[in-house]
Amino acid sequence: MKLGRWLAAGIASLLVLGTLAGCGNSGNSASGGGKQADAGDGGEVVTLKWVTIGNGMPDNYDSWVGKVNEYVGEKIGVNIEMEVIPWGSWDDRRNIIISTNEPYDIIFGTGKNYVPDITLGAYCDITDMVGENMPGLNEMMPEKYWTAVAVNDRIYGVPTYKDNAISNYAIWDKELVQEYNLDIASLVELDSLTEPFEKLKAEKNDYPVYVKNDGVYYIFDVYDQIGSGTQILGVRYDDKDARVCFTLEEPDIYAALETFHEWYEKGIINPDAATLTEGRVYNMWRVAQGWESAGVTSWGPQMGKDVAVQKVGDTILSSETVRGSMNMISTNSKYPEKCLQFLDLVNTDTKLRDMFYYGEEGVDFEYTEDGKAHKINNDWEMPGYTQGTFFTVTQVDTDELNQWEEIKELNDKAVDSAVFGFTFDTSQIADKLSNCNEIWLRYRSEVMTGVQDPAQCVPQIKEELMKAGWQDVIDEAQRQVDEFMANKK
């Protein structure tokens, strides 16, 4: 069994972390979201509450969930109740749910809050339950993805088996590429883009780089944030010496910030970028994580234009990239095993997987004679990456290429981060790290959108960080990384 080694390796850690997270009725004032009812045949059916992110509740939620529950009720004795929190409300609502022990059974999450939530005791330790209750996913998914979500050799989250490695692509308006005869393969470095962007700005009277307040954030993807939760600390993915660094001072990041400032000064970046919380649909150019055929299946249709795409940099696999989509079980859930069985079914049963990915059969989609999925409309907006694997989703009938196989190949060929499997234990410097991240967040929007000159702002940021204990954070991270690397040899 793939998880067999976890059961032995984690015994000592279980003794340590057992006080942090349990399962079932722990005696807390709030109980899990699960409810029990009788099935039509007299058997037990439990209702599990799943909290996730998206565009809010689907309009046809009641009829959709009725069909879902009829199917999974017969399969595993489970009904599901969804709460789909809108993107803009997610952070606040999620934090309230976790901090107040509000009842739920399963909750979507990312690496941003994963370790802090474990420390709070929010999530169930599922290490010893995965093998028995998730045989399908355990067989399907590479073992290293379990390694990526493990904390002190214990597992608290079910990773979503999808595009787990980061592959970034420049997405261009194809019409502009053809009109200006752009060789986009030669335009993957930021400084190479300045000249064509100047021309586009002058002749199209529009902003070639139109961003919101997080700016062109993909530049940090080459740095493994090691579970720190902040862009300004990390280890470069290809650094075999595993040096923990202040990323803003690294030559590649600093040069990118200089380019952003130049673009802002030349009017290439929209002047209101630092204050925008939402981007726009149309972009002459942008960079996004994905895969090449997403230009046809997703990026182009979303923009309403044909697009040309060009891969930027290596495909990178790290613990952080795997933790980009996970589902955790509340430590107060009364039915943790049922939660795992349900998530296993969502991942491995194509009929159920399609229900979550495409919506209600006969309303949002239908199956074609050759077994593909035909979308009746585009009303179903529940994001597929939050739910389960891509690799059991039925191919849509408009796809000429099998994008799922393309994604799997990218995963298989990804370059592992130099510190893959490492998680920074921030408990000894948590307050300092939090204070330092708050300092960065005060500056981030203006730095990442080019408003600030890095020659002035980076030293200023560092001065404030050092007063807040930044050196202690770096030293503790480096000590732990060094220990991890020594144990790998």
Side-chain angles (χ1 to χ4, degrees):
M1 185 176 293
K2 284 187 177 183
L3 285 176
R5 68 184 186 88
W6 289 106
L7 307 185
I11 295 298
S13 298
L14 179 61
L15 297 176
V16 175
L17 288 173
T19 58
L20 294 179
C23 291
N25 190 349
S26 64
N28 291 341
S29 58
S31 62
K35 294 175 286 186
Q36 182 174 333
D38 289 332
D41 59 2
E44 177 185 330
V45 175
V46 301
T47 299
L48 307 175
K49 182 176 181 180
W50 188 0
V51 179
T52 191
I53 192 172
N55 284 325
M57 301 297 287
D59 290 338
N60 58 325
Y61 170 78
D62 289 341
S63 57
W64 168 81
V65 81
K67 293 179 180 179
V68 168
N69 286 340
E70 181 180 1
Y71 187 73
V72 296
E74 293 178 357
K75 286 272 187 178
I76 57 171
V78 162
N79 278 184
I80 195 73
E81 173 188 327
M82 302 290 295
E83 180 180 351
V84 184
I85 301 170
W87 304 98
S89 306
W90 172 254
D91 284 339
D92 290 341
R93 176 75 180 115
R94 191 212 72 87
N95 290 341
I96 289 171
I97 291 171
I98 296 299
S99 62
T100 64
N101 253 349
E102 186 173 321
Y104 70 92
D105 293 282
I106 304 169
I107 192 166
F108 168 77
T110 68
K112 177 181 177 182
N113 303 104
Y114 183 54
V115 174
D117 288 351
I118 292 170
T119 304
L120 288 173
Y123 302 144
C124 178
D125 179 345
I126 61 174
T127 314
D128 300 335
M129 293 185 280
V130 168
E132 181 176 352
N133 293 285
M134 305 194 81
L137 181 60
N138 192 32
E139 180 65 28
M140 176 196 307
M141 188 171 66
E143 183 180 1
K144 68 187 335 182
Y145 294 168
W146 292 114
T147 302
V149 300
V151 177
N152 290 340
D153 288 329
R154 307 304 292 179
I155 300 171
Y156 299 86
V158 177
T160 306
Y161 183 28
K162 55 180 193 65
D163 51 330
N164 298 99
I166 283 186
S167 298
N168 280 314
Y169 290 83
I171 306 162
W172 291 83
D173 179 340
K174 191 172 184 178
E175 186 177 326
L176 294 178
V177 171
Q178 294 173 339
E179 180 181 349
Y180 287 86
N181 195 27
L182 297 174
D183 177 14
I184 62 174
S186 67
L187 298 174
V188 293
E189 301 296 334
L190 288 174
D191 58 0
S192 70
L193 292 162
T194 303
E195 185 176 340
F197 281 171
E198 286 183 294
K199 190 171 186 179
L200 287 169
K201 166 65 178 177
E203 297 186 9
K204 298 300 181 182
N205 194 30
D206 195 5
Y207 304 104
V209 182
Y210 195 100
V211 292
K212 59 185 182 69
N213 57 8
D214 52 358
V216 189
Y217 57 84
Y218 84 91
I219 63 171
F220 291 110
D221 287 345
V222 292
Y223 287 87
D224 189 324
Q225 293 175 19
I226 62 174
S228 67
T230 183
Q231 295 167 311
I232 59 174
L233 183 144
V235 174
R236 190 176 161 91
Y237 79 102
D238 55 359
D239 181 5
K240 300 306 179 185
D241 294 329
R243 178 177 59 90
V244 179
C245 60
F246 173 40
T247 57
L248 300 186
E249 286 187 328
E250 293 302 294
D252 54 346
I253 300 296
Y254 189 85
L257 300 183
E258 288 183 313
T259 299
F260 298 158
H261 184 57
E262 180 184 3
W263 289 354
Y264 183 82
E265 293 283 287
K266 291 181 175 180
I268 290 170
I269 294 177
N270 50 303
D272 59 348
T275 60
L276 286 183
T277 57
E278 297 290 339
R280 69 178 185 183
V281 173
Y282 174 76
N283 293 277
M284 293 186 187
W285 168 95
R286 70 183 179 97
V287 174
Q289 179 185 347
W291 51 95
E292 186 171 355
S293 61
V296 176
T297 63
S298 180
W299 296 324
Q302 287 171 3
M303 198 165 77
K305 301 273 289 187
D306 287 339
V307 297
V309 300
Q310 174 63 49
K311 195 169 187 293
V312 177
D314 286 337
T315 298
I316 303 168
L317 182 71
S318 69
S319 296
E320 291 288 309
T321 64
V322 176
R323 294 177 185 182
S325 175
M326 298 180 287
N327 281 285
M328 280 66 67
I329 298 170
S330 169
T331 191
N332 294 317
S333 174
K334 296 177 181 178
Y335 308 107
E337 292 89 355
K338 284 293 187 182
C339 291
L340 292 177
Q341 292 167 24
F342 170 72
L343 289 174
D344 192 59
L345 199 66
V346 169
N347 278 279
T348 60
D349 185 298
T350 292
K351 180 176 175 62
L352 182 61
R353 187 71 195 91
D354 288 347
M355 284 176 154
F356 277 90
Y357 195 84
Y358 292 119
E360 185 177 354
E361 185 178 356
V363 176
D364 298 299
F365 82 103
E366 60 190 5
Y367 290 107
T368 62
E369 290 184 359
D370 58 352
K372 292 186 177 182
H374 171 72
K375 296 177 71 172
I376 298 172
N377 54 58
N378 292 312
D379 296 341
W380 188 257
E381 296 183 323
M382 196 180 290
Y385 83 93
T386 64
Q387 308 156 351
T389 182
F390 286 164
F391 307 125
T392 52
V393 175
T394 297
Q395 187 176 344
V396 72
D397 61 342
T398 54
D399 285 359
E400 296 181 5
L401 300 174
N402 189 331
Q403 60 180 334
W404 310 136
E405 290 302 318
E406 181 185 348
I407 295 167
K408 188 175 289 186
E409 184 178 355
L410 284 170
N411 282 343
D412 292 343
K413 293 182 177 180
V415 179
D416 285 2
S417 164
V419 289
F420 182 85
F422 172 77
T423 298
F424 184 19
D425 178 1
T426 63
S427 57
Q428 298 302 309
I429 44 79
D431 290 342
K432 292 179 180 178
L433 177 59
S434 177
N435 291 337
C436 288
N437 191 45
E438 286 300 317
I439 291 170
W440 163 236
L441 293 178
R442 289 206 314 268
Y443 285 93
R444 183 181 64 174
S445 61
E446 292 196 346
V447 173
M448 296 305 297
T449 59
V451 176
Q452 295 261 14
D453 182 349
Q456 297 175 355
C457 69
V458 171
Q460 185 176 346
I461 293 170
K462 186 174 183 180
E463 181 181 354
E464 292 189 37
L465 290 173
M466 296 303 283
K467 291 178 181 177
W470 182 244
Q471 191 60 53
D472 292 337
V473 173
I474 292 283
D475 291 345
E476 178 60 19
Q478 189 68 68
R479 183 191 68 78
Q480 293 183 30
V481 167
D482 290 345
E483 182 178 334
F484 172 81
M485 296 298 286
N487 290 333
K488 281 180 62 177
K489 297 177 181 178

